[in-house]
Amino acid sequence: MSLAEKPVETLTVEEAAQELARLAAEIAGHDKRYYADDAPTVSDAEYDALRIRNAEIEARFPELVRADSPSQKVGTAPSGTFGKVVHAVPMLSLDNTFSDEDVTDFVASVRRFLALPPDSELVFTAEPKIDGLSMSLRYENRRLVTAATRGDGATGENVTANIRTIEEIPETLPKDAPDVVEVRGEVYMRRDDFFALQKRLAETGQSIANPRNGAAGSLRQKDPEVTRTRRLRFFAYAWGEVSEPLGTTQYDVVKRFGDWGFPINDRMVRCRSVEEILAHYHAIEAERAEIPYDIDGVVYKVDRLDLQERLGFRSRSPRWATAHKFAAEKAMTVLNGIDIQVGRTGAMTPV
């Protein structure tokens, strides 16, 4: 049995240190290929398994947590292709949950942190987790001045010229918008637009693995006119720096973005219990294949912004939110027929 296959509970301190070093290097490589190169080499499930193993080892051996641990980092450093933008408010990642039990534990942990009695109301928003590219749009005096990718959470890439080619993103905001506001969300590509792009690129010998890579690669084109032909879209769901409060709840602020002209997800709902949260998750999971864009889970956020402020943040993620990931997609294929190839030795091979 290799060290990578050894159960966490059987690792010695020395073995745990070796595994954490291996995982830090391997995950960093995958992060670069995913975030910077837009060319992942493993599935989401394989990547999540690496991060879960890293988290389990760190939980068992907290004294071995490395400075370069995946649990301490967000994304990857921006490339040198575009100018850099320092985020006024860091763009952090989300912790992941993978089961109904994990979600129940998450809600319980929020209640414990806030010292809320079991019968007190605690409202969450639940919305699809879009499989795209995180984006921060900065408006000053109600005009778009900067658009930046998440990068490593502190510094992102300046892609303002390319963002201006996306018709769904407003150039100006209405009079009731603050003097300074950073609207954050996800740039993505619908599947039908992705297949059309894939067909065009195939004619020149190029290829793109999936809609997420299509969105990221299209947004990072040096020529904005190329980006304009790629049919990118945007969903607003968060914010960074603001010069005045936007509202009192997550739900109301996102609805306000919709009033300003931003696309917002019509599948975002408020939930008042774990049962409602999980029912919404399984409903979205059931219709996943019919949704015209790729999603890889459902995001839950504490709705009241004053409670979000009390809960605060960990090193790379907020305590008040989590992403409930879907299992890998499964599908049925009907085999209509086979051909039998006969080799030189008479061996018959079905194709």
Side-chain angles (χ1 to χ4, degrees):
M1 179 186 297
S2 68
L3 189 57
E5 298 172 322
K6 200 169 182 181
V8 171
E9 60 272 14
T10 66
L11 294 174
T12 65
V13 173
E14 292 76 14
E15 289 172 333
Q18 291 178 43
E19 260 298 81
L20 289 176
R22 179 189 71 83
L23 288 165
E26 185 171 350
I27 292 172
H30 289 313
D31 284 344
K32 181 179 183 301
R33 288 186 286 276
Y34 183 88
Y35 293 109
D37 302 339
D38 304 318
T41 54
V42 295
S43 68
D44 285 354
E46 291 171 306
Y47 177 81
D48 287 340
L50 294 173
R51 294 198 70 108
I52 290 170
R53 182 167 175 81
N54 186 83
E56 289 175 345
I57 296 174
E58 288 185 342
R60 186 172 175 83
F61 300 93
E63 71 280 8
L64 298 181
V65 175
R66 301 166 57 91
D68 62 348
S69 167
S71 67
Q72 308 300 307
K73 297 165 60 181
V74 174
T76 192
S79 71
T81 305
F82 298 91
K84 295 181 180 180
V85 174
V86 177
H87 298 302
V89 175
M91 293 184 72
L92 301 183
S93 185
L94 291 175
D95 278 350
N96 293 327
T97 52
F98 297 93
S99 68
D100 292 2
E101 292 75 19
D102 289 343
V103 175
T104 300
D105 291 343
F106 163 70
V107 173
S109 70
V110 169
R111 284 191 172 278
R112 284 196 302 272
F113 192 97
L114 296 172
L116 295 177
D119 57 347
S120 63
E121 183 177 74
L122 181 59
V123 180
F124 290 84
T125 60
E127 62 191 294
K129 183 177 181 296
I130 312 300
D131 197 6
L133 184 72
S134 297
M135 186 58 51
S136 183
L137 310 172
R138 184 177 178 88
Y139 291 80
E140 295 179 0
N141 297 317
R142 287 156 288 282
R143 298 190 66 85
L144 176 64
V145 295
T146 309
T149 63
R150 181 168 61 184
D152 62 6
T155 304
E157 298 166 307
N158 188 334
V159 292
T160 310
N162 291 9
I163 279 293
R164 292 187 191 278
T165 69
I166 301 177
E167 296 177 359
E168 292 184 335
I169 293 177
E171 280 282 348
T172 60
L173 300 183
K175 293 180 180 180
D176 69 325
D179 290 341
V180 175
V181 58
E182 291 178 349
V183 178
R184 293 178 173 176
E186 203 85 0
V187 173
Y188 70 100
M189 185 177 284
R190 285 171 54 116
R191 280 193 289 271
D192 54 352
D193 293 326
F194 165 70
F195 291 134
L197 174 61
Q198 198 177 43
K199 184 177 180 180
R200 294 202 309 269
L201 291 179
E203 296 172 357
T204 61
Q206 303 177 67
S207 65
I208 299 178
N210 54 52
R212 190 268 169 197
N213 289 355
S218 298
L219 193 63
R220 291 191 173 106
Q221 293 292 317
K222 292 183 179 180
D223 182 358
E225 291 308 309
V226 175
T227 303
R228 191 185 302 277
T229 68
R230 300 290 182 90
R231 293 288 295 164
L232 297 180
R233 300 168 189 267
F234 182 75
F235 274 130
Y237 54 69
W239 57 96
E241 183 180 23
V242 293
S243 57
E244 62 184 65
L246 298 178
T248 59
T249 69
Q250 181 79 29
Y251 188 88
D252 289 340
V253 172
V254 173
K255 290 295 185 182
R256 191 176 181 190
F257 290 159
D259 294 338
W260 289 350
F262 290 97
I264 59 174
N265 200 294
D266 60 2
R267 289 176 172 81
M268 181 183 70
V269 300
R270 278 173 163 147
C271 300
R272 289 171 169 77
S273 67
V274 173
E275 291 75 19
E276 286 186 21
I277 287 173
L278 294 177
H280 190 58
Y281 170 86
H282 290 297
I284 291 178
E285 185 179 36
E287 64 172 339
R288 181 182 179 187
E290 280 70 52
I291 295 175
Y293 46 85
D294 282 357
I295 60 175
D296 56 4
V298 178
V299 175
Y300 312 130
K301 300 174 184 176
V302 171
D303 191 34
R304 280 175 47 184
L305 301 187
D306 61 332
L307 296 184
Q308 288 187 13
E309 187 173 356
R310 282 175 57 188
L311 286 157
F313 297 85
R314 305 181 187 87
S315 59
R316 65 182 295 273
S317 61
R319 289 191 184 88
W320 42 265
T322 192
H324 189 179
K325 300 292 287 292
F326 291 137
E329 278 194 285
K330 299 173 182 175
M332 297 289 288
T333 297
V334 176
L335 180 62
N336 294 313
I338 62 172
D339 292 330
I340 302 295
Q341 293 182 349
V342 183
R344 288 182 302 162
T345 62
M348 301 175 69
T349 305
V351 179

Coordinates of all heavy atoms in Angstrom, one line a residue, residues 6-85:
K6 N -2.8 5.0 2.3 CA -2.9 4.6 3.7 C -4.0 5.4 4.4 O -4.1 6.7 4.3 CB -1.5 4.9 4.3 CG -1.3 4.1 5.6 CD 0.1 4.2 6.1 CE 0.4 3.3 7.3 NZ 1.8 3.4 7.8
P7 N -4.8 4.8 5.2 CA -5.9 5.5 6.0 C -5.2 6.6 6.9 O -4.2 6.3 7.5 CB -6.5 4.4 6.8 CG -6.3 3.1 6.0 CD -4.9 3.3 5.4
V8 N -5.9 7.7 7.0 CA -5.4 8.8 7.8 C -5.1 8.4 9.2 O -4.1 8.7 9.8 CB -6.4 10.0 7.8 CG1 -5.9 11.1 8.7 CG2 -6.4 10.5 6.4
E9 N -6.0 7.6 9.8 CA -5.9 7.2 11.2 C -4.7 6.3 11.5 O -4.3 6.1 12.7 CB -7.1 6.5 11.7 CG -7.6 5.3 11.0 CD -8.4 5.5 9.8 OE1 -8.5 6.7 9.4 OE2 -9.1 4.6 9.3
T10 N -4.1 5.7 10.4 CA -2.9 4.9 10.6 C -1.6 5.6 10.3 O -0.5 5.0 10.5 CB -3.0 3.6 9.7 OG1 -2.9 4.0 8.4 CG2 -4.3 2.9 10.0
L11 N -1.6 6.8 9.9 CA -0.4 7.6 9.6 C 0.4 7.9 10.8 O -0.2 8.3 11.9 CB -0.7 8.9 8.8 CG -1.3 8.7 7.5 CD1 -1.7 10.1 6.9 CD2 -0.4 8.0 6.5
T12 N 1.7 7.8 10.7 CA 2.6 8.3 11.8 C 2.8 9.8 11.5 O 2.4 10.3 10.5 CB 4.0 7.6 11.8 OG1 4.6 7.9 10.5 CG2 3.8 6.1 11.9
V13 N 3.4 10.5 12.5 CA 3.7 11.9 12.3 C 4.6 12.1 11.1 O 4.3 13.1 10.3 CB 4.4 12.5 13.6 CG1 4.8 13.9 13.4 CG2 3.4 12.4 14.8
E14 N 5.6 11.3 10.9 CA 6.5 11.5 9.8 C 5.8 11.2 8.5 O 5.9 12.0 7.5 CB 7.7 10.5 9.9 CG 8.6 10.8 11.1 CD 8.1 10.4 12.4 OE1 7.1 9.6 12.5 OE2 8.6 10.8 13.4
E15 N 4.9 10.2 8.4 CA 4.2 9.9 7.2 C 3.2 11.0 6.9 O 3.0 11.4 5.8 CB 3.4 8.6 7.4 CG 4.4 7.4 7.4 CD 3.6 6.1 7.7 OE1 2.6 6.2 8.4 OE2 4.1 5.0 7.3
A16 N 2.5 11.6 8.0 CA 1.6 12.7 7.8 C 2.3 13.9 7.2 O 1.7 14.5 6.3 CB 0.9 13.0 9.1
A17 N 3.5 14.2 7.7 CA 4.2 15.3 7.2 C 4.6 15.1 5.7 O 4.4 16.0 4.9 CB 5.5 15.5 8.0
Q18 N 4.9 13.9 5.3 CA 5.2 13.6 3.9 C 4.0 13.7 3.0 O 4.1 14.3 1.9 CB 5.8 12.2 3.8 CG 7.2 12.0 4.4 CD 7.6 10.5 4.3 OE1 7.4 9.9 3.3 NE2 8.2 10.0 5.4
E19 N 2.9 13.2 3.5 CA 1.6 13.3 2.8 C 1.2 14.8 2.6 O 0.8 15.1 1.5 CB 0.5 12.5 3.5 CG 0.2 11.2 2.9 CD -0.3 11.2 1.5 OE1 0.6 11.3 0.6 OE2 -1.5 11.2 1.2
L20 N 1.3 15.6 3.6 CA 0.9 17.0 3.5 C 1.8 17.7 2.5 O 1.3 18.6 1.7 CB 0.9 17.7 4.9 CG -0.2 17.2 5.8 CD1 0.0 17.9 7.2 CD2 -1.5 17.6 5.3
A21 N 3.1 17.4 2.5 CA 4.0 18.0 1.5 C 3.6 17.6 0.1 O 3.6 18.4 -0.8 CB 5.4 17.6 1.8
R22 N 3.3 16.3 -0.1 CA 2.9 15.8 -1.4 C 1.6 16.5 -1.9 O 1.5 16.9 -3.0 CB 2.7 14.3 -1.4 CG 2.3 13.7 -2.7 CD 1.9 12.2 -2.6 NE 0.6 12.0 -1.9 CZ -0.6 12.1 -2.5 NH1 -0.7 12.4 -3.8 NH2 -1.7 11.9 -1.8
L23 N 0.6 16.5 -1.0 CA -0.7 17.1 -1.3 C -0.6 18.6 -1.6 O -1.2 19.1 -2.6 CB -1.7 16.9 -0.2 CG -2.1 15.4 0.0 CD1 -2.8 15.2 1.4 CD2 -3.1 15.0 -1.1
A24 N 0.3 19.3 -0.9 CA 0.4 20.7 -1.1 C 1.0 21.0 -2.5 O 0.5 21.8 -3.3 CB 1.4 21.4 -0.1
A25 N 2.0 20.2 -2.9 CA 2.6 20.3 -4.2 C 1.6 19.9 -5.3 O 1.4 20.6 -6.4 CB 3.8 19.5 -4.3
E26 N 0.9 18.8 -5.1 CA 0.0 18.3 -6.2 C -1.2 19.2 -6.4 O -1.6 19.5 -7.5 CB -0.5 16.9 -5.8 CG -1.4 16.2 -6.9 CD -1.7 14.8 -6.6 OE1 -1.1 14.2 -5.7 OE2 -2.5 14.2 -7.4
I27 N -1.8 19.7 -5.3 CA -3.0 20.6 -5.4 C -2.6 21.9 -6.0 O -3.3 22.5 -6.8 CB -3.6 20.7 -4.0 CG1 -4.3 19.4 -3.6 CG2 -4.7 21.8 -4.0 CD1 -4.8 19.4 -2.1
A28 N -1.4 22.4 -5.6 CA -0.9 23.7 -6.2 C -0.8 23.5 -7.7 O -1.1 24.5 -8.5 CB 0.4 24.1 -5.6
G29 N -0.3 22.4 -8.2 CA -0.2 22.1 -9.6 C -1.5 22.1 -10.3 O -1.7 22.7 -11.3
H30 N -2.5 21.5 -9.6 CA -3.9 21.4 -10.2 C -4.5 22.8 -10.2 O -5.2 23.2 -11.1 CB -4.7 20.4 -9.4 CG -4.4 19.0 -9.6 ND1 -4.2 18.5 -10.9 CD2 -4.2 18.0 -8.7 CE1 -3.9 17.2 -10.7 NE2 -3.9 16.9 -9.5
D31 N -4.2 23.6 -9.1 CA -4.8 24.9 -9.1 C -4.2 25.8 -10.2 O -5.0 26.6 -10.8 CB -4.4 25.6 -7.7 CG -5.3 25.1 -6.6 OD1 -6.3 24.5 -6.8 OD2 -4.9 25.3 -5.4
K32 N -3.0 25.7 -10.5 CA -2.4 26.5 -11.6 C -3.0 26.1 -12.9 O -3.4 26.9 -13.7 CB -0.9 26.3 -11.7 CG -0.2 27.1 -12.8 CD 1.3 26.9 -12.8 CE 1.9 27.7 -13.9 NZ 1.4 27.4 -15.2
R33 N -3.2 24.7 -13.1 CA -3.7 24.3 -14.4 C -5.2 24.7 -14.5 O -5.7 25.0 -15.6 CB -3.6 22.8 -14.5 CG -2.1 22.4 -14.8 CD -2.0 20.9 -15.1 NE -2.2 20.1 -13.9 CZ -1.2 19.8 -13.0 NH1 0.1 20.3 -13.2 NH2 -1.4 19.1 -12.0
Y34 N -5.9 24.7 -13.4 CA -7.3 25.1 -13.4 C -7.6 26.6 -13.5 O -8.3 27.1 -14.4 CB -8.0 24.5 -12.1 CG -9.5 24.8 -12.1 CD1 -10.4 23.9 -12.6 CD2 -10.0 25.9 -11.4 CE1 -11.8 24.0 -12.6 CE2 -11.4 26.1 -11.4 CZ -12.3 25.2 -11.9 OH -13.6 25.4 -11.9
Y35 N -6.9 27.4 -12.6 CA -7.2 28.8 -12.5 C -6.4 29.6 -13.5 O -6.9 30.6 -14.1 CB -6.9 29.3 -11.1 CG -7.9 28.8 -10.1 CD1 -7.4 27.8 -9.1 CD2 -9.2 29.2 -10.0 CE1 -8.3 27.3 -8.1 CE2 -10.1 28.7 -9.0 CZ -9.6 27.8 -8.1 OH -10.5 27.3 -7.2
A36 N -5.1 29.3 -13.7 CA -4.3 30.1 -14.5 C -4.2 29.6 -16.0 O -4.3 30.4 -16.9 CB -2.9 30.1 -14.0
D37 N -4.1 28.3 -16.2 CA -4.0 27.8 -17.5 C -5.3 27.4 -18.2 O -5.3 27.1 -19.4 CB -3.1 26.5 -17.5 CG -1.7 26.8 -16.9 OD1 -1.3 28.0 -16.9 OD2 -1.0 25.9 -16.5
D38 N -6.4 27.3 -17.4 CA -7.7 26.9 -17.9 C -7.6 25.5 -18.6 O -8.2 25.3 -19.6 CB -8.3 27.9 -18.9 CG -8.4 29.3 -18.3 OD1 -8.8 29.4 -17.1 OD2 -8.0 30.3 -18.9
A39 N -6.8 24.6 -18.0 CA -6.6 23.3 -18.6 C -6.4 22.3 -17.5 O -5.4 21.7 -17.3 CB -5.3 23.3 -19.5
P40 N -7.5 22.0 -16.8 CA -7.4 21.0 -15.7 C -7.1 19.6 -16.2 O -7.5 19.3 -17.3 CB -8.8 21.0 -15.1 CG -9.7 21.5 -16.2 CD -8.9 22.5 -17.0
T41 N -6.4 18.8 -15.4 CA -6.1 17.4 -15.8 C -6.8 16.4 -15.0 O -6.5 15.2 -15.2 CB -4.6 17.3 -15.7 OG1 -4.1 17.6 -14.4 CG2 -3.9 18.1 -16.8
V42 N -7.6 16.8 -14.0 CA -8.3 15.9 -13.2 C -9.8 16.3 -13.1 O -10.1 17.5 -13.3 CB -7.7 15.7 -11.7 CG1 -6.3 15.1 -11.8 CG2 -7.7 17.0 -11.0
S43 N -10.7 15.4 -12.7 CA -12.1 15.8 -12.5 C -12.2 16.5 -11.2 O -11.4 16.5 -10.3 CB -12.9 14.5 -12.5 OG -12.7 13.8 -11.3
D44 N -13.4 17.2 -11.1 CA -13.7 17.9 -9.8 C -13.7 16.9 -8.6 O -13.2 17.2 -7.5 CB -15.1 18.6 -9.9 CG -15.0 19.9 -10.7 OD1 -13.9 20.3 -11.1 OD2 -16.1 20.5 -11.0
A45 N -14.2 15.7 -8.9 CA -14.3 14.7 -7.8 C -12.9 14.3 -7.3 O -12.6 14.1 -6.1 CB -15.1 13.5 -8.3
E46 N -12.0 14.1 -8.3 CA -10.6 13.7 -7.9 C -9.9 14.9 -7.2 O -9.2 14.6 -6.2 CB -9.8 13.4 -9.2 CG -10.3 12.1 -9.9 CD -9.6 11.9 -11.3 OE1 -9.7 12.9 -12.1 OE2 -9.0 10.9 -11.5
Y47 N -10.2 16.1 -7.6 CA -9.6 17.2 -6.9 C -10.1 17.4 -5.5 O -9.4 17.6 -4.6 CB -9.9 18.5 -7.8 CG -9.3 19.8 -7.1 CD1 -8.0 20.2 -7.3 CD2 -10.2 20.6 -6.4 CE1 -7.5 21.3 -6.7 CE2 -9.7 21.8 -5.8 CZ -8.4 22.1 -6.0 OH -7.9 23.3 -5.4
D48 N -11.4 17.3 -5.4 CA -12.1 17.4 -4.1 C -11.5 16.3 -3.1 O -11.3 16.5 -1.9 CB -13.6 17.2 -4.2 CG -14.2 18.5 -4.8 OD1 -13.6 19.5 -4.8 OD2 -15.4 18.4 -5.3
A49 N -11.3 15.1 -3.7 CA -10.7 14.0 -2.8 C -9.4 14.4 -2.3 O -9.1 14.0 -1.1 CB -10.7 12.7 -3.6
L50 N -8.6 15.0 -3.1 CA -7.2 15.5 -2.6 C -7.4 16.5 -1.4 O -6.7 16.4 -0.4 CB -6.4 16.1 -3.7 CG -6.0 15.1 -4.8 CD1 -5.4 15.9 -6.0 CD2 -5.0 14.1 -4.3
R51 N -8.3 17.4 -1.6 CA -8.5 18.5 -0.6 C -9.1 17.9 0.7 O -8.7 18.3 1.8 CB -9.4 19.6 -1.1 CG -8.7 20.4 -2.3 CD -9.5 21.7 -2.4 NE -9.2 22.6 -1.3 CZ -8.4 23.7 -1.4 NH1 -7.8 24.0 -2.5 NH2 -8.2 24.4 -0.4
I52 N -10.0 16.9 0.5 CA -10.6 16.2 1.7 C -9.5 15.5 2.5 O -9.4 15.6 3.7 CB -11.7 15.3 1.3 CG1 -12.9 16.1 0.7 CG2 -12.1 14.4 2.4 CD1 -14.0 15.2 0.1
R53 N -8.6 14.8 1.8 CA -7.5 14.0 2.5 C -6.6 15.0 3.2 O -6.2 14.8 4.3 CB -6.8 13.2 1.5 CG -5.6 12.4 2.2 CD -5.1 11.3 1.2 NE -4.0 10.6 1.8 CZ -4.0 9.6 2.7 NH1 -5.2 9.2 3.1 NH2 -3.0 9.0 3.2
N54 N -6.3 16.1 2.5 CA -5.5 17.1 3.2 C -6.1 17.7 4.5 O -5.5 17.8 5.5 CB -5.2 18.3 2.2 CG -4.2 19.3 2.7 OD1 -3.0 19.1 2.6 ND2 -4.7 20.4 3.3
A55 N -7.4 18.0 4.4 CA -8.1 18.5 5.6 C -8.2 17.5 6.7 O -8.1 17.8 7.9 CB -9.6 18.9 5.1
E56 N -8.4 16.2 6.3 CA -8.5 15.1 7.4 C -7.1 15.0 8.1 O -7.1 14.8 9.3 CB -8.9 13.8 6.7 CG -10.4 13.8 6.3 CD -10.7 12.5 5.5 OE1 -9.8 11.8 5.1 OE2 -12.0 12.3 5.4
I57 N -6.0 15.0 7.3 CA -4.7 14.9 7.9 C -4.4 16.1 8.8 O -3.9 16.0 9.9 CB -3.6 14.7 6.8 CG1 -3.8 13.4 6.1 CG2 -2.2 14.7 7.5 CD1 -2.9 13.3 4.9
E58 N -4.8 17.3 8.3 CA -4.5 18.5 9.2 C -5.4 18.5 10.4 O -4.9 18.9 11.5 CB -4.8 19.7 8.3 CG -3.8 20.0 7.3 CD -4.1 21.3 6.5 OE1 -5.2 21.8 6.6 OE2 -3.1 21.8 5.9
A59 N -6.6 17.9 10.3 CA -7.4 17.8 11.5 C -6.8 16.9 12.6 O -6.9 17.1 13.8 CB -8.8 17.4 11.2
R60 N -6.2 15.8 12.1 CA -5.6 14.8 13.0 C -4.2 15.3 13.5 O -3.8 15.0 14.6 CB -5.4 13.5 12.3 CG -4.9 12.4 13.1 CD -5.0 11.0 12.4 NE -4.4 10.0 13.2 CZ -5.0 9.3 14.2 NH1 -6.3 9.6 14.5 NH2 -4.4 8.3 14.8
F61 N -3.5 16.1 12.7 CA -2.2 16.6 13.0 C -2.1 18.1 12.8 O -1.4 18.6 11.9 CB -1.1 15.9 12.2 CG -1.0 14.4 12.3 CD1 -1.7 13.6 11.4 CD2 -0.3 13.8 13.2 CE1 -1.7 12.2 11.4 CE2 -0.2 12.4 13.3 CZ -0.9 11.6 12.4
P62 N -2.8 18.9 13.6 CA -2.8 20.3 13.4 C -1.5 21.0 13.5 O -1.3 22.1 12.9 CB -3.8 20.8 14.5 CG -3.8 19.7 15.6 CD -3.6 18.5 14.8
E63 N -0.5 20.4 14.2 CA 0.8 21.0 14.4 C 1.6 20.9 13.1 O 2.6 21.5 12.9 CB 1.6 20.3 15.5 CG 2.0 18.9 15.2 CD 0.9 17.8 15.4 OE1 -0.2 18.2 15.6 OE2 1.3 16.6 15.3
L64 N 1.1 20.1 12.1 CA 1.8 19.9 10.8 C 1.3 20.8 9.7 O 1.8 20.7 8.6 CB 1.7 18.4 10.4 CG 2.4 17.4 11.3 CD1 2.2 16.0 10.8 CD2 3.8 17.7 11.6
V65 N 0.3 21.7 10.0 CA -0.3 22.5 8.9 C 0.9 23.4 8.3 O 1.6 24.1 9.0 CB -1.4 23.4 9.4 CG1 -1.9 24.4 8.4 CG2 -2.5 22.5 9.9
R66 N 1.0 23.3 7.0 CA 2.1 24.0 6.3 C 1.7 25.4 5.9 O 0.5 25.7 5.7 CB 2.4 23.2 5.0 CG 2.9 21.8 5.3 CD 2.9 21.0 4.0 NE 3.8 21.6 3.0 CZ 5.1 21.4 2.8 NH1 5.7 20.5 3.6 NH2 5.8 22.0 1.8
A67 N 2.6 26.3 5.7 CA 2.4 27.6 5.3 C 1.8 27.6 3.9 O 1.0 28.5 3.5 CB 3.6 28.5 5.3
D68 N 2.2 26.6 3.1 CA 1.7 26.5 1.7 C 0.6 25.5 1.6 O 0.2 25.1 0.5 CB 2.8 26.2 0.7 CG 3.4 24.8 1.0 OD1 3.1 24.2 2.1 OD2 4.2 24.3 0.2
S69 N -0.1 25.2 2.7 CA -1.2 24.3 2.6 C -2.4 24.8 1.8 O -2.7 26.0 1.8 CB -1.7 24.0 4.1 OG -3.0 23.4 4.0
P70 N -3.1 23.9 1.1 CA -4.3 24.3 0.4 C -5.3 25.0 1.3 O -6.1 25.8 0.8 CB -4.8 23.0 -0.3 CG -3.6 22.1 -0.3 CD -2.7 22.5 0.9
S71 N -5.3 24.6 2.5 CA -6.3 25.2 3.4 C -6.0 26.6 3.8 O -6.9 27.3 4.4 CB -6.4 24.3 4.7 OG -5.1 24.5 5.5
Q72 N -4.8 27.1 3.4 CA -4.4 28.5 3.7 C -4.4 29.4 2.5 O -4.1 30.6 2.6 CB -3.0 28.5 4.4 CG -2.9 27.6 5.5 CD -3.8 27.9 6.7 OE1 -3.8 29.0 7.1 NE2 -4.5 26.9 7.2
K73 N -4.8 28.8 1.3 CA -4.7 29.6 0.1 C -6.0 29.6 -0.7 O -6.9 28.8 -0.5 CB -3.6 28.9 -0.8 CG -2.2 28.9 -0.2 CD -1.3 27.9 -1.0 CE -1.2 28.3 -2.4 NZ -0.3 27.3 -3.2
V74 N -6.1 30.6 -1.5 CA -7.3 30.8 -2.4 C -6.8 30.9 -3.8 O -5.9 31.7 -4.1 CB -8.1 32.1 -2.0 CG1 -9.2 32.3 -3.0 CG2 -8.6 32.0 -0.6
G75 N -7.3 30.1 -4.7 CA -7.0 30.2 -6.1 C -5.5 30.1 -6.4 O -4.8 29.3 -5.8
T76 N -5.0 30.9 -7.3 CA -3.6 30.9 -7.6 C -3.2 32.3 -8.0 O -4.0 33.2 -8.4 CB -3.3 29.9 -8.7 OG1 -1.8 29.7 -8.9 CG2 -3.8 30.4 -10.1
A77 N -1.9 32.6 -8.0 CA -1.4 33.9 -8.4 C -1.8 34.3 -9.8 O -1.8 33.5 -10.7 CB 0.1 34.0 -8.2
P78 N -2.1 35.6 -10.0 CA -2.5 36.0 -11.4 C -1.4 35.9 -12.3 O -0.2 36.0 -12.0 CB -2.9 37.5 -11.2 CG -2.3 37.9 -9.9 CD -2.2 36.7 -9.1
S79 N -1.7 35.6 -13.6 CA -0.7 35.5 -14.6 C -0.1 36.9 -15.0 O -0.7 37.9 -14.6 CB -1.2 34.8 -15.9 OG -2.1 35.7 -16.5
G80 N 0.9 36.9 -15.8 CA 1.5 38.2 -16.2 C 0.9 38.7 -17.5 O 1.3 39.7 -18.0
T81 N -0.2 38.0 -18.0 CA -0.8 38.5 -19.3 C -1.5 39.8 -19.1 O -1.5 40.6 -20.0 CB -1.8 37.4 -19.8 OG1 -1.1 36.1 -19.9 CG2 -2.3 37.8 -21.1
F82 N -2.1 40.0 -18.0 CA -2.9 41.2 -17.8 C -2.3 42.0 -16.6 O -1.6 41.4 -15.8 CB -4.4 40.9 -17.5 CG -5.1 40.2 -18.6 CD1 -5.1 38.8 -18.7 CD2 -5.7 41.0 -19.6 CE1 -5.7 38.2 -19.8 CE2 -6.3 40.4 -20.7 CZ -6.4 39.0 -20.7
G83 N -2.7 43.3 -16.5 CA -2.3 44.0 -15.3 C -2.9 43.5 -14.0 O -3.9 42.7 -14.1
K84 N -2.3 43.8 -12.9 CA -2.8 43.3 -11.6 C -3.7 44.4 -10.9 O -3.5 45.6 -11.1 CB -1.7 43.0 -10.7 CG -0.8 41.8 -11.2 CD 0.3 41.5 -10.3 CE 1.2 40.3 -10.8 NZ 2.3 40.0 -9.9
V85 N -4.7 43.8 -10.2 CA -5.6 44.6 -9.4 C -5.6 44.1 -8.0 O -5.9 42.9 -7.8 CB -7.1 44.6 -10.0 CG1 -8.0 45.4 -9.1 CG2 -7.1 45.2 -11.4

